[in-house]
Amino acid sequence: MSGWVLDVAALLEFADATSYATAVTRAARRHSLTMLVPIGVLAEVYAARPLERNRLRLVPIRDEQDMWLLSLPSELPADLLERYTALADGDRTAAHVALLALQRGWPVVTDRDQLFQRIVPGVQTIPA
């Protein structure tokens, strides 16, 4: 299995139903990629997009399990998560994203490429 780890900016594109989100979805389907969403990313997007129409656009994350996968921080070793949270200046969500990318060898879809390069040098990023 291969895929992408989505950061907040990427998931906001899905909540906003942009053409970027459509293109990412098509590419993921065409290449049989999984889109991995840390639960903290989903929570941040829900907070940023409280309207029902935005939240309804995120329903596939729950329903299309062949393409979407949610991840809980408890799935990672607590000591590693704390170490990476410190590297991310206290941003636990970014730490979770970075650890998943490192663990799976998947790129991060983000607008914070410098942050992720600092947390996990050499991690591949895809602009969101």
Side-chain angles (χ1 to χ4, degrees):
M1 178 187 324
S2 61
W4 299 319
V5 183
L6 301 186
D7 192 22
V8 176
L11 199 58
L12 283 169
E13 297 284 338
F14 285 88
D16 294 340
T18 66
S19 57
Y20 176 86
T22 301
V24 168
T25 301
R26 284 183 185 149
R29 284 197 174 111
R30 184 173 45 248
H31 299 290
S32 298
L33 298 173
T34 298
M35 291 190 276
L36 182 56
V37 179
I39 198 73
V41 168
L42 184 61
E44 287 187 34
V45 170
Y46 265 54
R49 299 294 188 272
L51 296 177
E52 186 65 21
R53 72 172 181 260
N54 297 102
R55 292 178 175 194
L56 285 173
R57 293 174 184 143
L58 301 174
V59 168
I61 295 171
R62 184 191 67 223
D63 295 343
E64 295 179 20
Q65 295 174 355
D66 58 323
M67 189 166 97
W68 293 91
L69 187 61
L70 283 170
S71 175
L72 300 172
S74 61
E75 296 168 357
L76 299 170
D79 61 326
L80 273 179
L81 188 57
E82 292 309 313
R83 186 175 338 144
Y84 279 80
T85 299
L87 290 171
D89 300 324
D91 187 335
R92 190 171 174 88
T93 299
H96 191 182
V97 170
L99 269 170
L100 290 171
L102 181 64
Q103 184 181 58
R104 292 178 181 253
W106 293 2
V108 176
V109 185
T110 186
D111 64 346
R112 305 186 291 174
D113 58 312
Q114 291 180 343
L115 172 66
F116 287 103
Q117 287 300 323
R118 191 182 58 190
I119 300 171
V120 183
V123 70
Q124 183 181 0
T125 57
I126 299 170

